[in-house]
C-alpha cells in the first residue's frame, strides 16, 4: 500500500523533530546564559518553555500513533548547535549576541522546514488532529524567528558601534583561533 510507505516516512520525520526539539531543550539555557542582551536572554527563556510544549505535542502525536518517539538522532540540529556553540566561544559582547541570533535563526528555519514537511505528510495521511497540533508549533517557530529579526536590528547596530568606538573594553580580534578554512 502506498500509504504505508508515507506513514513510515512520516513517523521517521516526527522522530527526527522529536530529537531536534529535545536537543534544543538542553541547549537553550546555555544560549540564554551566553546572551549579554537582557531581551535576548528573556527571548531564549521564553522559547525554552515553548520548546518544552513542542516536545509534548510530538509526544501526544506519538501516543495517538501508538509509536515510540525515540530512536533517531537529528544530525542536522546537532550540527547547528555545534556551530552555535562555536559562535559563543569565539565572540563576546554585542558581536556574540549577533552571532547567537544568527545561529538561532538557522535553527528556527531548520525547524520550520521540518514542520512544513510533516504537516504536508499529515494532511496527505488524513491526520487532521496532527495537522493542527503541528501547525501550532510551526506558528510559534515563525513568531520566534520574527522576534529574533526584531532583536537583531538593535543588537547588530550595537555590535557595529562597539567596533568603531571602544577598543579598550572589547577584546580586539586577537582571539582568532586557528580555524579551518571554511
Ligand atoms: Fe520547536
Amino acid at each position: 500500500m502506498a500509504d504505508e510507505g508515507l506513514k513510515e516516512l512520516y513517523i521517521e520525520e516526527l522522530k527526527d523533530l522529536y530529537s531536534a526539539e529535545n536537543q534544543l531543550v538542553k541547549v537553550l539555557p546555555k544560549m540564554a546564559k551566553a546572551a549579554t542582551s537582557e531581551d535576548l536572554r528573556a527571548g531564549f527563556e521564553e522559547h525554552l518553555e515553548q520548546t518544552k510544549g513542542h516536545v509534548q505535542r510530538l509526544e501526544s502525536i506519538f501516543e495517538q500513533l501508538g509509536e515510540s518517539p525515540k530512536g533517531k538522532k537529528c544530525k542536522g540540529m546537532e550540527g547547528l548547535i555545534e556551530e552555535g556553540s562555536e559562535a559563543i566561544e569565539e565572540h563576546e559582547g554585542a558581536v556574540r549576541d549577533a552571532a547567537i541570533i544568527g545561529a538561532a535563526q538557522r535553527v528556527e528555519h531548520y525547524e520550520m522546514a521540518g514542520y512544513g514537511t510533516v504537516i504536508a505528510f499529515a494532511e496527505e495521511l488524513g491526520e487532521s488532529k496532527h495537522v493542527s497540533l503541528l501547525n501550532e508549533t510551526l506558528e510559534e517557530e515563525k513568531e520566534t524567528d520574527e522576534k529574533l529579526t526584531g532583536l537583531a536590528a538593535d543588537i547588530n547596530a550595537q555590535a557595529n558601534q562597539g567596533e568603531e568606538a571602544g577598543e579598550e573594553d572589547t577584546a580586539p580580534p586577537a582571539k582568532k583561533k586557528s580555524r579551518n578554512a571554511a
Side-chain angles (χ1 to χ4, degrees), residues 45-179:
E45 280 162 4
E46 190 192 332
H47 195 55
L48 172 63
E49 293 316 306
Q50 283 184 331
T51 302
K52 289 176 185 169
H54 300 174
V55 169
Q56 283 172 0
R57 283 189 193 119
L58 289 170
E59 279 169 352
S60 84
I61 287 173
F62 278 104
E63 230 165 86
Q64 288 172 33
L65 288 165
E67 296 278 342
S68 162
K70 291 179 183 160
K72 203 163 192 283
K73 174 116 192 183
C74 178
K75 290 177 195 152
M77 185 59 76
E78 204 177 16
L80 289 172
I81 287 172
E82 210 179 299
E83 286 192 358
S85 304
E86 279 174 18
I88 290 169
E89 281 168 29
E90 288 169 10
H91 306 287
E92 43 194 49
V95 176
R96 175 192 277 179
D97 283 353
I100 295 174
I101 290 175
Q105 287 196 288
R106 280 187 173 85
V107 165
E108 290 313 311
H109 281 252
Y110 184 76
E111 288 193 289
M112 280 150 59
Y115 279 102
T117 299
V118 290
I119 287 166
F121 288 172
E123 278 169 351
E124 179 61 33
L125 292 163
E127 297 281 11
S128 54
K129 270 190 201 167
H130 300 187
V131 172
S132 48
L133 280 170
L134 295 167
N135 259 320
E136 281 177 49
T137 296
L138 178 60
E139 283 312 307
E140 287 177 357
E141 308 291 15
K142 283 183 189 167
E143 279 166 25
T144 300
D145 180 54
E146 280 162 21
K147 276 186 200 161
L148 287 166
T149 298
L151 287 172
D154 279 346
I155 286 170
N156 290 347
Q158 277 171 34
N160 192 26
Q161 250 175 21
E163 197 157 295
E164 286 166 7
E167 260 161 49
E168 322 80 51
D169 44 20
T170 44
K175 279 188 79 184
K176 264 185 195 161
K177 281 180 264 173
S178 60
R179 279 210 267 156

